[in-house]
Structure formats: structure tokens, C-alpha cells
Amino acid sequence: MANNAGEMKKAYNRICYALSGIIIFIAAILIINYKPVSGNQASREEEPAALIKTDVLYSVIRDGDIICRLGDRFWSGLIRDVSITDKRFSHMGIIRINDSRITVINSEGDTGHGRDFVNEVSIEEFLRPAVTAGIYRINAFDGALLSELSIEYLGIPFDWKFDMYDASKLYCTELLYVICKRIMPELELETAYIKELKMNAVPLEAISNSSNFTEIFFVSAENKKLTLK
């Protein structure tokens, strides 16, 4: 019995030594290959260069235009598929031009960055994840009214229930819907029935396919992650 116990102890020690050697070897490799990343480098890696350049839009946009985009993220493809015939976009916002400063007021569901509410961002930031972009102009009234009223909704939470009849929370196209109804109650936007939600929602093609809006500009960039339809 004593011999067996001794052999077991020796085997145990050999395993411990072997594991220690492996851990030390891995640690050495990591230390040798470690390259510190500066703050600027980390920022560039987190925020890749935009595929859509904003300078191509400056000559065509007006205050109150609608800007649509298709993002390069996984859920962007899911959202665009709510539209039946036009799958070029997954998100929209309202352009605001104030003293030559161009911003976009939009309702985002970006909980990862703490942006699940109506917020105002630069047009450059809005287009950073975009692989397509479209500019639309409402025909029924002066689009500047959209811009003027949109600032009243800043800070309203994102509508995760997608209930277009409750204005206490808003998703992206619901923001446009609510403002349009304030300006022109008789104006209607197309809706689509979402079986998962068991209710109607306003798809992005309610803008791009609607006679209420004119397409001013459209641009796309090559992207291997999404196949545009």
C-alpha cells in the first residue's frame, strides 16, 4: 500500500510540473508577442472608416429631409426584412441643419452603447455603420417642419414593443409617423403586419415606396457581410 501511495504521489507531482511548464510557456509567448495599443489605435479598431462618405450628400440635403441607411450589423439584416419589396434600408432619421451644422435626429435601439432613445448625432456618426444611404423629401409640406418638431422628442425611450399607437416610446419610423400625423393628420404611412409582434409596424419602405416622399439620392457601398436585395 505504501509503495502504491508513493507512486501515486510521484505521478501527481509529475502532472503538476507538466501543467506548470505549459502555463509558463503560454505566459512567455503572450508576453513576447504583446504589443501595447495606444488609445488612438484602439479607437480606430472600434470605429472602422465609414464606407459612405458624407461629402457626397452635402449638395443635395435640406433641413427636414429623411435619411435612411442599411447598417453592417447582424440585426440590420433582420430589420430590413420587415420591408417586403424594398430591402435597401434598416434605419432612418430626420436631418436637422442648424447654422450649417448637419445632424440627424433618430430613435435608436442601441442598448450596448446606452442609446436606446431618441437622440441627435452628427451625420458622419449616423452613416458610420452604413453600407447604403438614401435621402428622401416629403412632398405634402415643408420638410423643415419635421426638423423643427423632431427636437421635442429628444430623450424619449426606444419602443421595444413597436406599438405605433403609443407615442410615449418610439422606434425609428414611428418617430416620423408621429410627427407627420401632427402636421397633417390625414397623411397615412404604409404599415406591415409583424407576426412575431402580432401588430402592425411602419417599415422602411413606407418611405422609399411611398408617393408621399421623393427619393433625392441613393448610394451603396460594397459589403461582403450582407447581400443587398
Side-chain angles (χ1 to χ4, degrees):
M1 292 291 291
N3 290 337
N4 289 339
E7 290 297 322
M8 290 177 64
K9 186 175 181 179
K10 290 179 182 179
Y12 174 79
N13 289 337
R14 285 195 295 269
I15 293 172
C16 290
Y17 291 146
L19 289 175
S20 298
I22 293 171
I23 292 171
I24 292 171
F25 176 77
I26 293 174
I29 294 297
L30 292 175
I31 291 171
I32 291 170
N33 290 282
Y34 173 73
K35 294 181 180 179
V37 179
S38 67
N40 290 337
Q41 287 176 318
S43 176
R44 285 195 296 270
E45 289 178 1
E46 292 171 4
E47 299 180 356
L51 296 174
I52 305 294
K53 304 302 180 183
T54 54
D55 55 359
V56 301
L57 306 176
Y58 292 150
S59 63
V60 298
I61 56 177
R62 294 181 188 172
D63 187 34
D65 280 349
I66 309 303
I67 183 168
C68 300
R69 79 180 186 208
L70 174 61
D72 61 355
R73 294 155 185 163
F74 170 75
W75 57 84
S76 299
L78 300 178
I79 296 172
R80 70 167 182 174
D81 285 338
V82 173
S83 295
I84 305 301
T85 60
D86 187 354
K87 298 180 182 293
R88 293 179 296 166
F89 307 117
S90 61
H91 188 52
M92 58 75 55
I94 299 170
I95 289 177
R96 184 167 182 249
I97 302 177
N98 185 23
D99 294 332
S100 74
R101 181 171 175 260
I102 304 174
T103 58
V104 178
I105 295 178
N106 68 128
S107 185
E108 291 186 271
D110 190 355
T111 55
H113 294 87
R115 283 190 175 174
D116 50 343
F117 56 90
V118 179
N119 60 74
E120 184 173 12
V121 299
S122 68
I123 190 171
E124 291 81 8
E125 184 171 349
F126 181 84
L127 289 176
R128 187 172 292 127
V131 295
T132 72
I135 301 295
Y136 293 83
R137 189 164 298 151
I138 194 160
N139 301 320
F141 51 80
D142 185 354
L145 291 171
L146 292 173
S147 170
E148 181 181 341
L149 292 177
S150 65
I151 61 177
E152 298 180 14
Y153 295 86
L154 291 172
I156 289 183
F158 187 82
D159 185 4
W160 289 105
K161 292 184 178 180
F162 292 86
D163 184 352
M164 59 184 287
Y165 302 107
D166 179 6
S168 65
K169 297 181 179 181
L170 300 168
Y171 57 88
C172 68
T173 49
E174 186 182 7
L175 172 63
L176 176 64
Y177 173 84
V178 167
I179 298 175
C180 284
K181 297 298 278 186
R182 280 183 60 182
I183 299 170
M184 184 177 286
E186 66 272 22
L187 188 145
E188 294 295 336
L189 296 181
E190 176 188 349
T191 62
Y193 183 75
I194 313 300
K195 62 180 180 180
E196 291 82 3
L197 301 173
K198 296 182 178 179
M199 65 175 64
N200 288 329
V202 182
L204 270 296
E205 66 183 3
I207 301 168
S208 62
N209 279 350
S210 173
S211 60
N212 293 313
F213 300 89
T214 297
E215 183 175 294
I216 305 299
F217 185 85
F218 174 77
V219 63
S220 64
E222 182 180 357
N223 187 283
K224 297 179 180 178
K225 294 181 180 179
L226 291 174
T227 302
L228 306 183
K229 297 180 181 179

